[in-house]
Amino acid sequence: MADAPPSRDAFDTRAVHAGRAVDPATGAVAAAIQPSTTFERAADGSYPRGHYYARVSNPNRLALETALASLEGGQAAAAFASGSAAALAVFQALAPGDHVVCSADAYHGIQRELRELMARWGLATTFVDTTDLAAVRAAFRPATRLLWLETPSNPLLRITDIAAASALAREHGATTVVDNTFATPVLQRPFEFGADLVVHSTTKYLGGHSDVTGGAVVTREDSALFTRIRDAQAIGGAVPSAFDCWLLLRGAATLPVRVRAQCASAGRIAAFLTEHPRVHTVHFPGLDTHPGHALAARQMRGPGAMLALQVRGGEAAALAAVAGTRLFTRATSLGSVESLIEHRATMEGPETRTPRDLIRLSIGLEDADDLIADLERALG
Ligand SMILES: *Cc1c(COP(=O)(O)O)cnc(C)c1O
């Protein structure tokens, strides 16, 4: 499985073939779903087929982990039951007394893990605007072990310079993690810029159909830290089911074509919104007015398919626009085939820093003209 022929090297080819092989026993082209929780030992007590208990490993999870490591260009991956469980495993691999520097607009659930769960374990965190490298530098302490970046960020789509920030982390002996959920490896491969770990909520683009919850940690190279993340996975047990892994591997095959089509539509929708009189700001890295545009062009292979707009008239106008859509589905989450629209501040709760007049869009695979017509109606 892992040893695909060398010609199968380009990204789109790996998306289809990494982690997959024709079943030698049956000739089946699609992988079987293996529900067994336990695996037979040989007479001498060994496990010649590699698996012994499904919490620790199973064939579908191994296939998914092989594919994710290949797509990110990393050495290994560990799949989890959610993106949040993947992030928690990274934090649990640190020790009480350690210090984390984290993007101030990282996913709100990850901020809650640091503020509410890990603070009680003795992990300290400084939240900074990681687009400001001087602020990142100033946040490091002798006990800093981890720099957590999310780029593009949520929901303002701000762009952090992964190469410059990870160089600062290296100077301070800290590991750099990039939450690559929004960009996906189709558009951004953080290991090319010096990151050490990549985290995904595979619930989003990797799965791509709003029907599976999952997460992963991918490592550039084997390390003591990644061994502790594997321990959090195997001992802690927040693992995905065989069926979830099967769905995610199936999603990976179409990831490149989905993301490219979604990016193209997002670009057209961003251009339409920029011209709209009811919209005062559009946050989309593909626009040359976006503060991270030049950096995104260097660091990413496309602007992504997430965008945010701020409307005139404050929260009431934003809620009215969200209520007026027919094709966009009013729901949180992102990265699926159907387009989603969300009033982000009311989703994130009272302590949010997200502007009250902001609407977040996840662009799906519908006809872009239909999506534009729906927004035109809703904003009108
Ligand atoms: C959704 C999301 C997460 C959390 O993932 P879950 O699968 O919902 O636990 C983490 N980071 C980002 C950027 C996300 O969008």
Side-chain angles (χ1 to χ4, degrees):
M1 230 174 250
D3 43 35
S7 61
R8 294 181 169 182
D9 206 27
F11 184 85
D12 289 25
T13 305
R14 281 182 281 127
V16 176
H17 288 283
R20 289 165 192 253
V22 172
D23 180 354
T26 63
V29 171
I33 302 168
Q34 181 47 264
S36 188
T37 56
T38 190
F39 297 86
E40 188 186 36
R41 289 174 91 157
D44 66 359
S46 68
Y47 291 95
R49 287 155 291 202
H51 304 288
Y52 70 96
Y53 187 61
R55 170 159 44 73
V56 178
S57 72
N58 78 51
N60 297 102
R61 201 171 93 203
L62 178 62
L64 173 64
E65 290 174 343
T66 301
L68 292 175
S70 171
L71 293 181
E72 285 291 356
Q75 186 146 12
F80 288 86
S82 68
S84 302
L88 198 63
V90 174
F91 302 139
Q92 287 174 332
L94 303 176
D98 286 351
H99 174 250
V100 177
V101 176
C102 180
S103 289
D105 55 354
Y107 179 74
H108 73 296
I110 284 170
Q111 295 197 42
R112 289 191 62 189
E113 287 186 350
L114 288 164
R115 287 182 215 275
E116 297 174 30
L117 303 181
M118 298 314 293
R120 266 191 275 132
W121 147 309
L123 198 70
T125 305
T126 303
F127 294 92
V128 292
D129 173 2
T130 53
T131 67
D132 176 353
L133 292 169
V136 175
R137 183 190 295 277
F140 282 102
R141 300 179 193 167
T144 305
R145 294 287 171 270
L146 199 78
L147 172 64
W148 184 282
L149 303 177
E150 186 177 316
T151 179
S153 73
N154 181 19
L156 294 176
L157 290 313
R158 301 178 57 152
I159 308 294
T160 293
D161 185 335
I162 300 170
S166 65
L168 282 177
R170 235 181 343 271
E171 265 174 45
H172 291 85
T175 294
T176 301
V177 188
V178 175
D179 184 334
N180 207 25
T181 300
F182 271 38
T184 83
V186 179
L187 303 178
Q188 175 170 279
R189 300 179 202 147
F191 298 145
E192 294 174 350
F193 301 98
D196 304 291
L197 297 174
V198 164
V199 166
H200 279 283
S201 168
T202 54
T203 312
K204 315 294 168 52
Y205 286 99
L206 255 306
H209 296 75
S210 298
D211 56 9
V212 56
T213 300
V217 183
V218 190
T219 188
R220 181 160 48 85
E221 52 194 36
D222 271 326
S223 64
L225 185 71
F226 189 70
T227 300
R228 292 198 294 276
I229 291 166
R230 272 261 185 248
D231 286 346
Q233 178 197 37
I235 303 169
V239 292
S241 72
F243 181 51
D244 288 353
C245 294
W246 185 92
L247 280 174
L248 288 166
L249 187 63
R250 174 174 144 135
T254 55
L255 180 73
V257 287
R258 281 188 283 113
V259 167
R260 284 187 210 113
Q262 288 164 328
C263 277
S265 293
R268 289 193 47 207
I269 290 164
F272 158 77
L273 291 171
T274 305
E275 298 294 312
H276 200 285
R278 304 292 289 272
V279 175
H280 69 82
T281 310
V282 179
H283 303 273
F284 182 66
L287 294 172
D288 56 14
T289 49
H290 186 280
H293 176 72
L295 182 54
R298 284 208 301 282
Q299 184 168 280
M300 300 175 71
R301 291 165 167 86
M306 293 300 297
L307 54 91
L309 57 141
Q310 290 179 257
V311 296
R312 296 188 200 285
E315 176 164 331
L319 288 170
V322 170
T325 56
R326 289 187 210 155
L327 184 53
F328 278 86
T329 302
R330 281 181 299 280
T332 193
S333 198
L334 60 124
S336 187
V337 292
E338 70 285 324
S339 295
L340 302 179
I341 187 165
E342 174 177 36
H343 184 253
R344 193 69 199 156
T346 43
M347 183 69 205
E348 291 184 344
E351 76 284 9
T352 181
R353 298 161 4 124
T354 296
R356 309 300 306 187
D357 60 0
L358 181 138
I359 297 168
R360 190 180 83 173
L361 303 179
S362 169
I363 304 306
L365 288 175
E366 302 91 340
D367 191 309
D369 289 328
D370 290 340
L371 294 170
I372 289 171
D374 195 37
L375 290 169
E376 187 141 46
R377 178 185 326 114
L379 288 164

